[in-house]
Amino acid sequence: MSVVAIAPSNIALVKYWGKRDAARQWPANDSLSMTLTAARTETRATIVDSGEDELVYGGKLLTPESKEAARVMRHLDLLRRETGASAHLRIETQNTFPSAAGIASSASGFAALTLAGTAALLEAPDLAQLADRGFTRSRLASLARLGSGSACRSLFGGYVLWEAGTAPERQDVRPILAPEAFPLADLIVVLQAEEKRVSSSEAHRHAWTSPLFGPRLAGLPERLKRIEAALAAGDFERLGIEIEHEALEMHAVIMTAEPPVRYLETATVELCAWLREERARGSFEAYFTIDAGPNVHVLCRPRDAAAVSAKIQARFGAGVRSILQDQIGEGVSLASHPVEDLPS
Ligand code: PMV
């Protein structure tokens, strides 16, 4: 049997930044994200007899020594410990977004790997059977989190809350609003495609050194309440203004940490400033958020997505590498195939 898991990426509206316990992936704060649709990872897991795990990424077999393969294989060891299974797996994985787009793939990647790997090891072909065997979405989310923090939110659809809780084992991830209750598009504006110089895992560690980190943590519970209230009320303006401040606040922490890191490029800041000007002028209603990189996520109503995208393209031309039109979505899916039925 071979299983194929599909997991979307997610964009955080309240960012997870800084960890209280890195080994157990216990975040410093609660975070809230919107699960996407088009930006996703597809991962096939097949049991092999070779006695070794194999990783094929984007059609290429990676050597076990490579950084990516080592991280994946450590995660498969964890899944074997959790399931009690001993089999080795061939993992074939690819992203639907261009890997050179500079969009983090660890959230969708570890969500898909956790789902496909667990399903193959347990020979459980769908989500219902996985849950019957004790691997509910919540448990899968906890496992995905150990691969990459933000991956835990990709197990669910719509708007997803990751609560830090009072202890590492008391964390909770759950959907708080369905996609259709507040449909939004996400225009992922790729300004720079190169790999980031400082990984988010490294920058997370320095969060505590920023003098702005304490005030950020103190203000976040109220911020989260305001964002949840805006979502519940369907108030896009309130939501948009809050998420812009929130993203800039995270970047202020990153830039004032020791050592300081700057993910924002000139083009990033120019695009955000222009978006605010156009909004004030009444050209359209759209708001930005920015992850740990230079690219900008522009959130707008789905009916406005094509027009906003065209205006960004017209204003910034060649400065924009690409714009990926994405939207809120349903979360992971799992399918199983007999090995011989798989497309080559
Ligand atoms: O999951 P990580 O370790 O790559 O951290 C992700 C951090 C942000 O993307 C910047 C924010 C978030 O909550 O997704």
Side-chain angles (χ1 to χ4, degrees):
M1 195 183 81
S2 180
V3 294
V4 181
I6 298 180
S9 187
N10 68 76
I11 177 67
L13 308 181
V14 175
K15 310 290 181 185
Y16 142 55
W17 197 251
K19 307 181 192 209
R20 277 189 266 184
D21 178 338
R24 286 181 290 178
Q25 290 282 58
W26 190 25
N29 64 276
D30 297 349
S31 58
L32 176 76
S33 60
M34 174 176 122
T35 294
L36 299 175
T37 306
R40 59 182 195 272
T41 301
E42 299 180 1
T43 298
R44 180 193 300 171
T46 313
I47 292 185
V48 288
D49 299 326
S50 59
E52 279 174 16
D53 295 321
E54 294 163 26
L55 174 62
V56 180
Y57 176 59
K60 274 204 274 183
L61 181 69
L62 300 192
T63 63
E65 294 76 37
S66 71
K67 212 173 74 191
E68 293 82 8
R71 201 170 161 198
V72 164
M73 284 162 195
R74 270 201 308 276
H75 200 64
L76 293 178
D77 286 338
L78 167 78
L79 299 182
R80 274 188 284 269
R81 282 199 301 278
E82 284 291 315
T83 55
S86 56
H88 286 86
L89 297 174
R90 178 178 172 87
I91 299 293
E92 293 161 89
T93 191
Q94 57 189 27
N95 298 325
T96 56
F97 44 97
S99 55
I103 300 165
S105 54
S106 63
S108 55
F110 276 93
L113 178 66
T114 303
L115 185 55
T118 308
L121 288 170
L122 291 174
E123 300 195 39
D126 55 46
L127 282 161
Q129 289 193 43
L130 271 174
D132 284 348
R133 309 275 298 271
F135 287 81
T136 59
R137 270 189 211 233
S138 291
R139 183 158 175 205
L140 293 165
S142 302
L143 294 172
R145 192 194 78 224
L146 295 169
S148 171
S150 51
C152 68
R153 297 184 309 237
S154 277
L155 264 295
F156 299 93
Y159 295 91
V160 181
L161 178 66
W162 171 15
E163 274 182 335
T166 51
E169 57 286 351
R170 295 247 173 86
Q171 300 182 49
D172 187 34
V173 185
R174 61 177 187 278
I176 58 159
L177 196 68
E180 57 279 9
F182 201 144
L184 284 180
D186 178 8
L187 303 172
I188 310 172
V189 185
V190 180
L191 299 166
Q192 193 177 296
E194 291 75 35
E195 208 179 312
K196 34 191 164 180
R197 286 180 295 272
V198 182
S199 70
S200 57
S201 356
E202 195 186 329
H204 269 292
R205 287 196 284 127
H206 307 303
W208 302 92
T209 64
S210 162
L212 302 181
F213 194 51
R216 166 174 169 74
L217 293 183
L220 271 178
E222 285 304 315
R223 166 102 67 208
L224 186 58
K225 273 192 208 150
R226 293 195 296 274
I227 288 184
E228 285 183 301
L231 280 174
D235 187 337
F236 190 30
E237 186 179 4
R238 252 168 80 198
L239 176 72
I241 287 168
E242 289 287 346
I243 66 166
E244 288 191 351
H245 287 168
E246 157 56 16
L248 294 175
E249 189 178 280
M250 178 187 77
H251 282 275
V253 167
I254 295 173
M255 287 192 286
T256 52
E258 192 52 53
V261 174
R262 179 169 67 92
Y263 290 120
L264 306 179
E265 296 292 335
T266 307
T268 316
V269 178
E270 274 172 8
L271 175 56
C272 294
W274 170 82
L275 198 78
R276 283 176 162 178
E277 280 162 25
E278 289 299 313
R279 199 168 69 222
R281 200 176 290 158
S283 305
F284 49 69
E285 191 174 23
Y287 301 88
F288 65 79
T289 184
I290 318 159
D291 267 350
N295 303 318
V296 181
H297 291 250
V298 175
L299 301 188
C300 63
R301 302 272 190 202
R303 61 170 183 265
D304 298 333
V308 175
S309 176
K311 283 190 174 151
I312 296 170
Q313 201 74 67
R315 167 65 183 79
F316 292 94
V320 169
R321 300 268 183 120
S322 60
I323 300 180
L324 307 177
Q325 270 200 37
D326 211 334
Q327 60 182 348
I328 192 163
E330 295 290 346
V332 292
S333 65
L334 183 64
S336 71
H337 308 269
V339 175
E340 53 280 11
D341 281 2
L342 286 169
S344 58

